[in-house]
Amino acid sequence: MGGLTNELTSFIKFAKAIDARNSCNGKHSERVAKLMVDFAEHLAFSREEINLAYLSGVMHDIGKIGVPEIILNKPARLTKREFAIVKRHPGVGAEMLSGISGFEKIAEAVRYHHERVDGKGYPYGLQGQRIPFLSRMLALCDAYDAMTTIRCYRKPFTSDRALGEIAQLSGTQFDPEISREFTSIVVDSQGV
Ligand SMILES: [Fe+2]
């Protein structure tokens, strides 16, 4: 991708501004992007792939521009209708990104970041390896950050508890091999 162009810098600022609309979990996308970089480095990705991993993390929820703040910040369970609105955000984000030259892979990662390997995710219900690799990485980084940071309606989980949840959901929500790799980097970063 060769260095950050002005257009790209503006896009990153825009993605961070969308994130800031979530009053309970601001800077989530920045933290997910950092986890994606650590993960990509651990998996020995090339410099260009590490860039893609970073940008996919920053941009993954950009489609939430279409979700009203009252839903984003609702401190209670969403109604069926509200959840249907939330479920549109991967597709909306992918459409926003897919027209930009060089962003095709990022758009693809964003489009599938809420799919689950058992096919019970959204919006398409794709299964296993049909879900792009970057999206399967994103699913883990996204969930880990969501669990370990404060939300409107609950206290953060400890890292150990979050890794326990990930282990339980490995093979259903998360790709088992990618879950194992992710867990090993979190454990290594804690110096355990
Ligand atoms: Fe999302």
Side-chain angles (χ1 to χ4, degrees):
M1 206 172 294
L4 293 183
T5 62
N6 285 342
E7 191 187 11
L8 187 50
T9 310
S10 308
F11 234 92
I12 291 172
K13 279 191 188 155
F14 178 65
K16 288 180 180 175
I18 304 279
D19 216 24
R21 295 172 68 229
N22 188 334
S23 63
C24 298
N25 199 19
K27 303 206 173 173
H28 164 69
S29 296
E30 255 180 279
R31 290 190 304 268
V32 170
K34 190 178 174 309
L35 285 168
M36 285 292 281
V37 168
D38 293 346
F39 204 171
E41 284 174 348
H42 172 83
L43 297 174
F45 278 21
S46 68
R47 196 29 58 198
E48 193 180 340
E49 288 167 333
I50 292 170
N51 253 336
L52 288 175
Y54 170 78
L55 291 170
S56 303
V58 175
M59 313 278 180
H60 76 282
D61 275 342
I62 204 165
K64 284 192 175 168
I65 191 169
V67 182
E69 279 177 39
I70 195 141
I71 298 179
L72 287 181
N73 294 316
K74 188 175 174 184
R77 209 181 176 85
L78 299 181
T79 64
K80 227 176 161 183
R81 197 190 133 267
E82 289 166 340
F83 192 45
I85 294 170
V86 169
K87 281 180 172 173
R88 291 184 205 143
H89 81 273
V92 170
E95 291 311 313
M96 288 166 71
L97 299 165
S98 62
I100 303 170
S101 161
F103 273 35
E104 297 80 5
K105 280 217 160 134
I106 302 167
E108 186 189 67
V110 168
R111 189 181 295 281
Y112 301 106
H113 79 273
H114 282 290
E115 300 293 342
R116 300 169 41 125
V117 293
D118 62 4
K120 292 184 180 164
Y122 66 84
Y124 304 101
L126 282 193
Q127 282 186 327
Q129 301 206 349
R130 301 189 71 171
I131 306 166
F133 194 84
L134 272 179
S135 305
R136 282 180 274 150
M137 285 171 68
L138 260 179
L140 275 155
C141 296
D142 188 14
Y144 179 80
D145 184 72
M147 286 192 270
T148 55
T149 54
I150 194 138
R151 305 301 284 256
C152 291
Y153 46 87
R154 63 150 175 78
K155 288 183 180 160
F157 287 6
T158 61
S159 176
D160 278 355
R161 183 168 171 202
L163 293 181
E165 294 278 328
I166 285 171
Q168 277 205 342
L169 295 166
S170 166
T172 52
Q173 184 166 347
F174 305 117
D175 180 298
E177 244 173 78
I178 301 181
S179 302
R180 256 197 309 279
E181 292 294 339
F182 181 79
T183 298
S184 79
I185 5 173
V186 174
V187 170
D188 286 352
S189 72
Q190 292 169 332
V192 179

